[in-house]
Amino acid sequence: MSRVLLMADERKPVLSGTTTAAATAPPPAAVQTLAPLVQGGHPVHLLIQQQIQLMSTHLTLLSAVHHVPVAAPARTATEPTTPTTPTTPAPASPPPAPATAVIAPVHTPHSRPPPITAQGATRDPASFALPANATEQAFAAIWARLLDGIPVGRHDNFFNLGGHSLLAVRAVQEMHRATGEKIAVRRLIFESLSQIAAAVESAPRPAASGDSLSAAVHAVPPAANALSDLSMTTVRFGHAEPSLYGVLHPASSRPARARAVLLCNPFGQEAVRIHRFFRVLADDLAGAGVACLRFDYHASGESLGDDHEADLDRWVRDVLAADALLRQRTGVQEVDWLAPRLAGALAVRASAQAPQRPGQLVLWEPVVWGARYVDHLLAVHASVVADLPDGGKLAGDEEILGFGASRRLLQQMRAIAPTDYQRAQARRVLMIAPHRQTTDANDWLTALHGRGVAVQRQTLNLDFDWTSEEAFNTALVPAEALNLLAAALKADPLE
């Protein structure tokens, strides 16, 4: 392309030399050679002078940002090569346009190999760092193989590199085989490769024992916990062995209230979606003097066990173990349970077996008809797989949205019915759901009221996307839900 530069005589445009692909504007040196020629008061001169000043400022900023030395102007064939004869006056003509200098491309050395995929092309090479130890190297090799050979660094995030839930479940399975440690899928969403590797290396190695499921609760002593001096304390606990993982949020205000809250996870992708919400809610409650415990069931999250070991009956016992731990660590006698989705069915079953019943049972859009719930999950899974280019290879018979779901587990889910909720043992049951669902719950809520349980309904017309792995179009922590639940769990259940 040729640039047209209007000089004093607007009728005679002068064409500059051909602009190269490597340069987009005259360098400052060329600007300086042209500046003295346009000092007149003609309007065109003033316009050209303003343009030169803008170009000079722009190039100076670019040079400062990229640290690229600006080359001197190159002579072109359009510039005069012989001096004008003194006896012959030079014809009046506009001065020659400055030639555009060719700036050689500057190569900044990085240790990162060139990206292979479209996802890799959008990453900043300057932030790349090679895996630092054997665990990180093993994880990076697994990720690279699943992501079509894209180079993986220690600060990279699996989903930012183009991963999705169906690939993530394969990644954690291979990482588990490589290290022997159970890794939660949600770690791949929120953490970098180095953070996951560090957690695996620091995880305790409990001794193997039988699954006697005694009532004893084993917790990591506070002195042995690296986070004991922070506002959150990680704990390993369980029945016969410390196979469960939890995070305790102690009450941070004094005096602490004589009540605590147990946060029960839903299933699969819904647990991933609720993770950030639970964290924010627990911090809020702890700041108000209400201690909280959030935890992962056996064979889920960061607790031990593979997906195929998931069992609703065992998860019910996990709820009881978590309640016992919370009472033990806080010394409170009153514990409220918050149970969204599938956790609602687990909580009502656990309440019927609890040595000390919960003071308040808060059910957020509980799964009351298990068969409908399973069919919905399978339909969403089929829709997601159909939209993936490699969906045919990723579709599994016992898998839902990246999480293993055995046939036994699906049968247990299908068996959930309103009769489960009629057996709830609590001083008060609060159901939070859209208006249609609260109306459908009339029968079992009426049955609970007839048994002397205080029953309350709260309508929350919020379209919370429980199953999506994308966080761009729906809020992870919707304010209306957070405020409603925080108020319900801070209030006196007897009010």
Side-chain angles (χ1 to χ4, degrees):
M1 297 175 61
S2 296
R3 183 176 295 129
V4 178
L5 183 61
L6 293 178
M7 306 305 290
D9 190 350
E10 296 184 66
R11 295 168 299 176
K12 297 181 179 180
V14 178
L15 300 180
S16 69
T18 302
T19 304
T20 64
T24 59
V31 172
Q32 294 173 5
T33 61
L34 182 59
L37 302 177
V38 289
Q39 298 298 325
H42 193 282
V44 176
H45 291 177
L46 296 177
L47 176 62
I48 296 172
Q49 188 173 4
Q50 292 174 358
Q51 292 175 340
I52 292 172
Q53 292 173 349
L54 289 175
M55 287 189 294
S56 178
T57 302
H58 180 65
L59 287 173
T60 301
L61 291 175
L62 288 178
S63 178
V65 171
H66 298 289
H67 305 287
V68 178
V70 180
R75 183 179 297 277
T76 65
T78 60
E79 295 182 2
T81 57
T82 58
T84 305
T85 305
T87 58
T88 304
S93 63
T100 301
V102 178
I103 303 176
V106 177
H107 299 281
T108 303
H110 294 297
S111 59
R112 178 175 207 141
I116 296 175
T117 65
Q119 293 90 346
T122 64
R123 293 180 288 167
D124 181 11
S127 65
F128 180 80
L130 291 172
N133 53 49
T135 303
E136 292 184 5
Q137 291 170 2
F139 288 176
I142 292 171
W143 291 14
R145 183 169 61 255
L146 293 174
L147 298 172
D148 297 327
I150 184 172
V152 178
R154 65 190 312 263
H155 301 311
D156 284 330
N157 173 275
F158 186 82
F159 279 73
N160 287 347
L161 295 181
H164 49 73
S165 290
L166 298 180
L167 281 179
V169 73
R170 281 155 174 79
V172 297
Q173 289 171 352
E174 294 192 27
M175 294 158 72
H176 173 64
R177 284 194 292 267
T179 63
E181 287 295 323
K182 174 74 174 179
I183 300 171
V185 173
R186 68 164 175 258
R187 276 194 175 276
L188 274 66
I189 300 176
F190 297 106
E191 299 180 12
S192 66
L193 183 141
S194 63
Q195 291 173 317
I196 299 171
V200 167
E201 292 175 350
S202 63
R205 304 295 196 272
S209 61
D211 188 18
S212 58
L213 294 179
S214 65
V217 176
H218 303 270
V220 177
N225 197 304
L227 299 178
S228 60
D229 59 337
L230 302 180
S231 59
M232 297 185 299
T233 302
T234 59
V235 291
R236 287 282 180 181
F237 67 102
H239 310 274
E241 58 176 321
S243 64
L244 304 179
Y245 173 87
V247 179
L248 178 66
H249 297 251
S252 58
S253 67
R254 296 292 184 269
R257 302 194 187 187
R259 295 173 43 243
V261 172
L262 181 65
L263 305 176
C264 304
N265 271 335
F267 167 74
Q269 193 63 236
E270 296 180 352
V272 174
R273 291 288 296 177
I274 205 68
H275 176 80
R276 181 63 184 169
F277 186 96
F278 271 5
R279 165 66 191 277
V280 175
L281 177 62
D283 285 342
D284 184 21
L285 293 174
V290 181
C292 299
L293 175 67
R294 47 193 177 94
F295 71 101
D296 296 327
Y297 311 113
H298 178 76
S300 74
E302 296 182 60
S303 294
L304 301 183
D306 294 325
D307 286 357
H308 70 273
E309 301 175 19
D311 181 271
L312 288 194
D313 294 334
R314 178 158 184 171
W315 288 359
V316 168
R317 296 194 290 273
D318 292 346
V319 173
L320 297 175
D323 177 78
L325 172 67
L326 183 55
R327 294 175 187 272
Q328 171 189 318
R329 294 293 291 268
T330 60
V332 302
Q333 298 299 317
E334 191 83 12
V335 176
D336 296 342
W337 296 357
L338 171 59
R341 305 295 286 159
L342 182 66
L346 302 176
V348 295
R349 292 181 181 182
S351 69
Q353 306 175 24
Q356 294 177 279
R357 66 178 182 174
Q360 179 177 212
L361 189 56
V362 181
L363 307 174
W364 182 8
E365 294 190 35
V367 173
V368 179
W369 296 98
R372 298 177 187 173
Y373 176 67
V374 172
D375 290 342
H376 169 71
L377 291 181
L378 294 175
V380 173
H381 176 78
S383 175
V384 170
V385 169
D387 291 337
L388 297 175
D390 51 356
K393 295 185 295 183
L394 295 173
D397 294 335
E398 298 185 356
E399 187 174 296
I400 294 180
L401 296 173
F403 291 85
S406 66
R407 295 181 181 180
R408 181 187 71 253
L409 179 64
L410 295 180
Q411 290 174 353
Q412 291 175 327
M413 289 182 179
R414 288 186 179 276
I416 296 172
T419 52
D420 292 310
Y421 289 82
Q422 294 177 13
R423 295 194 294 267
Q425 296 289 334
R427 293 162 60 187
R428 179 190 185 196
V429 171
L430 170 61
M431 180 177 178
I432 298 177
H435 177 72
R436 178 185 56 79
Q437 188 174 0
T438 57
T439 303
D440 291 344
N442 281 336
D443 292 342
W444 60 268
L445 287 175
T446 302
L448 284 178
H449 182 71
R451 289 181 31 239
V453 178
V455 175
Q456 183 178 355
R457 312 176 204 209
Q458 183 71 51
T459 300
L460 179 63
N461 291 318
L462 173 70
D463 187 17
F464 190 83
D465 195 349
W466 291 99
T467 55
S468 173
E469 70 178 13
E470 299 294 339
F472 301 108
N473 298 322
T474 57
L476 288 174
V477 188
E480 54 269 45
L482 181 66
N483 295 336
L484 191 155
L485 288 167
L489 295 168
K490 291 176 187 176
D492 186 343
L494 296 179
E495 291 180 355

